Amino acid sequence: MFNIAVAGHVCADLTPKLPLGIGMTPGHLYDVGPLTINPGGCIVNVGRVLHALDASPRLAGMVGDDDLGRAVVRDIAGTGLDTSEIRVSDGSGTSYSIVIEPAGMNRSFWHHTGANGEFDGTGVDLAGIDLLHVGYPSLVPGLLTDDGAPLVALMQRARREGVTTSLDLAVVDQTSPIGQLDWHGILARTLPEVDVFSPSLDDLTSALETGPVSTKEGLLALADEMIEAGAGIVMLSAGEDGLLVRVASAERLAAGGRVLESLSDAWAGSTSWAPARDIAQVVTTNGAGDSASAGLLYGIASGLGPEQAAGTATLVASQWIQGLPIAAGGAGRN
């Protein structure tokens, strides 16, 4: 198995147990359930899935010098993940998300950026790493200064060292300062350095302000646009509508670092559609996209074909959503 690093967004997830139909009327008191506090964010979610699939990565991110940050690092380390590259900021508090997830419904977030604003990727140690996954630059403003120059620099540095690069997005709030950035320009500069690109449809359309995409033809056209911009493999996840994996030419994959170069003939030019799995019960949708990205990366690093890797992504995501154990043997059966 190749050695993997996951860098970028990390936070504490504060999740109150909310009944269906909870209100927000000023002056009212609403009875809610207990609060859970867990480490969250892209590097934690992807890291947990890869660890469960016996491909445990090294994590790189930044927390604050506060009780919340110490709890986040302690709890991540308690899962067996390598936290040696999670650095501590002296000037910012730890990032946190309040997860608003009423029973049986999709989640929304109240988010504080915190120390993620200082993470610029320059301290990411790539020694011995074969695959680098970077998550949620829209929530890691330190990667987006100078029109995304730190993000591009990190990806370029990785590719110079023969590392296969991977990028995932988060939904971009167009009313925020991050939403006012030139995302078309940022992606145009970044995607030629990205070998695997795995945003959700909502993530990508919110960044590009393209409006809703509701057909397979529209999804395919959007994936092709990302391929034309320079990405090697594009996975677009569309929730209940499953996901699409679209792949560039053999020549592009051969330039995709140590992980992709051996897959170029089997993957080149392919298109894979993977339907969403049946869900018996929804425990959480928080982190579902990250789990799909981790499933795809596991499939790629394991040398699976494109259809099997896409199926692994949907299977792992369904296990995550239902709160089921994720195991390498289960993920290999599609």
Side-chain angles (χ1 to χ4, degrees), residues 1-332:
M1 177 60 69
F2 292 102
N3 294 320
I4 303 173
V6 185
H9 181 251
V10 59
C11 68
D13 281 343
L14 314 179
T15 310
K17 187 172 183 180
L18 300 176
L20 186 63
I22 187 74
M24 292 185 64
T25 303
H28 283 228
L29 185 148
Y30 297 95
D31 187 36
V32 300
L35 177 74
T36 59
I37 303 177
N38 292 306
C42 176
I43 70 171
V44 176
N45 298 335
V46 172
R48 284 176 56 194
V49 172
L50 289 174
H51 183 65
L53 295 172
D54 298 327
S56 190
R58 189 165 70 211
L59 308 185
M62 186 167 286
V63 297
D65 185 13
D66 51 27
D67 289 341
L68 196 57
R70 285 183 281 275
V72 165
V73 175
R74 179 198 66 214
D75 290 348
I76 295 173
T79 68
L81 285 162
D82 183 347
T83 62
S84 60
E85 294 297 318
I86 297 181
R87 303 181 185 278
V88 178
S89 165
D90 293 329
S92 300
T94 299
S95 174
Y96 67 88
S97 291
I98 300 178
V99 184
I100 309 300
E101 190 173 35
M105 294 183 64
N106 204 345
R107 76 280 185 259
S108 58
F109 303 95
W110 296 345
H111 184 71
H112 172 62
T113 297
N116 285 312
E118 298 181 28
F119 182 82
D120 63 4
T122 55
V124 176
D125 183 4
L126 297 175
I129 295 300
D130 303 298
L131 172 61
L132 170 67
H133 179 70
V134 178
Y136 298 2
S138 62
L139 300 180
V140 188
L143 289 172
L144 297 177
T145 57
D146 298 326
D147 295 321
L151 176 61
V152 174
L154 173 59
M155 294 301 196
Q156 288 176 335
R157 176 163 66 92
R159 297 190 81 223
R160 284 196 300 269
E161 298 185 22
V163 176
T164 298
T165 59
S166 175
L167 178 67
D168 191 12
L169 304 180
V171 169
V172 176
D173 178 3
Q174 290 296 334
T175 66
S176 71
I178 293 296
Q180 303 306 304
L181 297 176
D182 176 15
W183 278 95
H184 287 269
I186 290 171
L187 291 177
R189 287 183 289 275
T190 305
L191 288 181
E193 312 299 336
V194 174
D195 299 313
V196 182
F197 186 43
S198 60
S200 75
L201 183 58
D202 289 342
D203 296 340
L204 188 55
T205 56
S206 69
L208 299 179
E209 297 185 272
T210 61
V213 175
S214 58
T215 65
K216 280 190 172 183
E217 292 77 14
L219 200 63
L220 187 59
L222 192 56
D224 282 344
E225 184 180 341
M226 300 302 102
I227 293 288
E228 291 169 6
I233 296 172
V234 175
M235 182 179 81
L236 296 181
S237 54
E240 295 177 354
D241 294 323
L243 58 82
L244 163 69
V245 176
R246 184 75 161 149
V247 186
S249 67
E251 180 181 13
R252 172 63 182 86
L253 296 191
R258 288 184 286 275
V259 177
L260 286 193
E261 58 188 5
S262 63
L263 300 179
S264 57
D265 290 338
W267 280 66
S270 64
T271 300
S272 302
W273 298 93
R277 305 283 177 139
D278 291 335
I279 302 295
Q281 62 171 351
V282 175
V283 173
T284 183
T285 59
N286 184 23
D290 287 328
S291 65
S293 293
L296 177 71
L297 294 176
Y298 171 79
I300 291 171
S302 300
L304 302 182
E307 290 189 4
Q308 192 175 11
T312 298
T314 59
L315 178 57
V316 168
S318 73
Q319 292 170 336
W320 179 281
I321 291 167
Q322 296 175 92
L324 300 175
I326 295 171

